[in-house]
Amino acid sequence: MKCSEFLQELTNYLDGVMDAKTKSELEDHLSWCHNCYVVCDTTKKTIEIYRDSQLYELPDDLRTRLRSAIMAKCQARKKTGPREV
Amino acid sequence: MGAIQPKVSEPVSDELALVQAAKGGDVSAFEELVRRYDRNVFRIAQHITQNREDAEDVVQDAFLKAYSNLGQFQGQSKFYTWLVRIAVNEALMKLRRRRPERMVSLDEDVKTEEDSVPREVADWSPNPEQQYNQAELREILGRTIQGLPPGFRTVFVLRDVEGLSTEETAEALELSIPAVKSRLLRARLQLRERLNRYFKRRNGNGEILSAGGDGDQ
């Protein structure tokens, strides 16, 4: 397997969606190709860092304000009822 | 001859009951749905618009639109996937209004294939998160993801941050499954490349420790 082929399969590999034969070929490639090992490892870390980052959390006060605004508008709209299409 | 249909996840039963109640005029049932998903919708909106005020507007507009159009929701997919589709469309509309000189769509920049080829291969520090404090790390992550085209950013956020499946992401964005997979791969690789500059391991002299190996890339 070439590095370019490995890269094409990287997302499936990281998501664990592939057949056993392809997985074994990828892992064989990883065992000797240090560049692909590093790319795979740092891509995995990239995903984990974003997943754990709590980037753009909704602060409680803003959350309360937004929910009040949404529900007030829904109440107003309720007078005519949700639109049935 | 029918095409292969994307797999649709099992709807959550109590959620369907909430949707049914809301359809019947029970506003408190809809409030429960808002409570379940407002954080997710806010994160998605902020990631797409990269603007706090716009994200607040998107949260309000998306939930109001969902409420008004509950009659259209047939329950064949999860309520959340349907809501995400509405929120993504609202967020993209905000982007278009803000940048009227440039048409913004999920198809933007799909030709930047070369950006996904790893140019620099270096090991990262064992714990890159510990190199920076929380505020610095958020600044780095925010600035880095902001540099991705919206079409890549959105797929990455839905799949890797919000945890939607490939099928759900495809449905929410009205993209094919191969398109989602291709964009996700490129988004992940581009983010990795951009984060390299902050997280790569250096030796005592500040030099980058490049990977060795005999790969053919």
Side-chain angles (χ1 to χ4, degrees):
Chain A
M1 175 177 281
K2 291 181 180 173
C3 295
S4 53
E5 293 168 325
F6 177 84
L7 274 183
Q8 282 307 311
E9 291 293 335
L10 180 60
T11 272
N12 284 337
Y13 179 67
L14 289 173
D15 293 341
V17 286
M18 57 177 39
D19 58 71
K21 182 172 172 285
T22 312
K23 184 164 182 265
S24 149
E25 284 171 9
L26 288 168
E27 286 177 346
D28 177 63
H29 183 88
L30 279 181
S31 71
W32 60 265
C33 180
H34 188 61
N35 275 351
C36 282
Y37 177 82
V38 170
V39 169
C40 182
D41 182 54
T42 49
T43 305
K44 189 162 174 257
K45 282 181 181 160
T46 297
I47 298 164
E48 287 167 353
I49 286 172
Y50 272 100
R51 190 169 287 167
D52 300 343
S53 69
Q54 299 182 323
L55 203 61
Y56 310 138
E57 286 300 303
L58 180 57
D60 283 343
D61 54 342
L62 173 58
R63 190 179 182 214
T64 307
R65 185 160 59 76
L66 283 178
R67 196 163 62 229
S68 301
I70 292 163
M71 296 324 296
K73 287 178 185 168
C74 289
Q75 286 286 5
R77 194 150 296 189
K78 191 189 166 188
K79 287 172 187 163
T80 53
R83 222 184 299 151
E84 294 284 343
V85 179
Chain B
M1 191 189 301
I4 298 168
Q5 294 299 312
K7 193 178 86 186
V8 178
S9 310
E10 283 295 310
V12 184
S13 57
D14 84 310
E15 190 161 281
L16 271 180
L18 286 172
V19 173
Q20 288 303 338
K23 275 187 188 181
D26 180 354
V27 179
S28 67
F30 189 73
E31 186 165 15
E32 174 57 27
L33 292 167
V34 175
R35 203 186 300 271
R36 281 188 191 188
Y37 297 123
D38 55 357
R39 294 188 182 95
N40 309 70
V41 171
F42 178 77
R43 263 198 307 266
I44 292 165
Q46 172 97 41
H47 269 293
I48 296 175
T49 63
Q50 296 292 324
N51 178 289
R52 168 81 170 256
E53 259 179 49
D54 284 349
E56 290 179 28
D57 288 349
V58 169
V59 172
Q60 294 194 48
D61 295 347
F63 277 111
L64 192 62
K65 199 165 211 171
Y67 183 74
S68 301
N69 293 289
L70 273 177
Q72 284 184 347
F73 177 70
Q74 303 297 327
Q76 283 155 348
S77 59
K78 281 186 193 162
F79 173 76
Y80 179 50
T81 313
W82 182 72
L83 177 66
V84 167
R85 183 195 290 195
I86 295 172
V88 167
N89 285 333
E90 291 292 319
L92 286 174
M93 266 197 289
K94 281 276 175 203
L95 266 189
R96 288 184 197 117
R97 275 187 216 122
R98 191 146 38 89
R99 304 184 201 161
E101 75 285 359
R102 276 174 75 223
M103 188 63 187
V104 180
S105 84
L106 284 178
D107 293 323
E108 191 176 311
D109 294 283
V110 286
K111 57 188 178 298
T112 56
E113 187 104 41
E114 65 279 5
D115 284 355
S116 305
V117 178
R119 281 187 292 257
E120 185 177 61
V121 180
D123 280 316
W124 284 5
S125 305
N127 292 303
E129 297 101 315
Q130 289 170 12
Q131 281 177 275
Y132 301 93
N133 68 36
Q134 275 289 351
E136 287 170 333
L137 188 66
R138 280 185 197 169
E139 165 74 21
I140 290 167
L141 296 177
R143 202 176 329 128
T144 301
I145 201 166
Q146 200 167 355
L148 281 192
F152 289 4
R153 199 160 72 211
T154 307
V155 169
F156 179 81
V157 169
L158 296 191
R159 277 288 283 105
D160 284 341
V161 180
E162 298 302 327
L164 268 71
S165 69
T166 302
E167 289 78 9
E168 288 165 343
T169 304
E171 191 185 329
L173 301 182
E174 295 178 74
L175 289 171
S176 69
I177 288 176
V180 168
K181 286 191 171 187
S182 156
R183 287 171 198 214
L184 181 64
L185 173 66
R186 284 147 75 183
R188 285 170 167 179
L189 289 173
Q190 286 186 29
L191 282 176
R192 185 207 75 88
E193 191 85 23
R194 288 161 198 243
L195 288 180
N196 242 351
R197 99 172 72 135
Y198 302 101
F199 296 150
K200 61 197 168 193
R201 189 155 55 173
R202 296 161 198 276
N203 65 15
N205 301 322
E207 292 161 352
I208 301 159
L209 294 173
S210 292
D214 299 307
D216 67 358
Q217 53 196 359

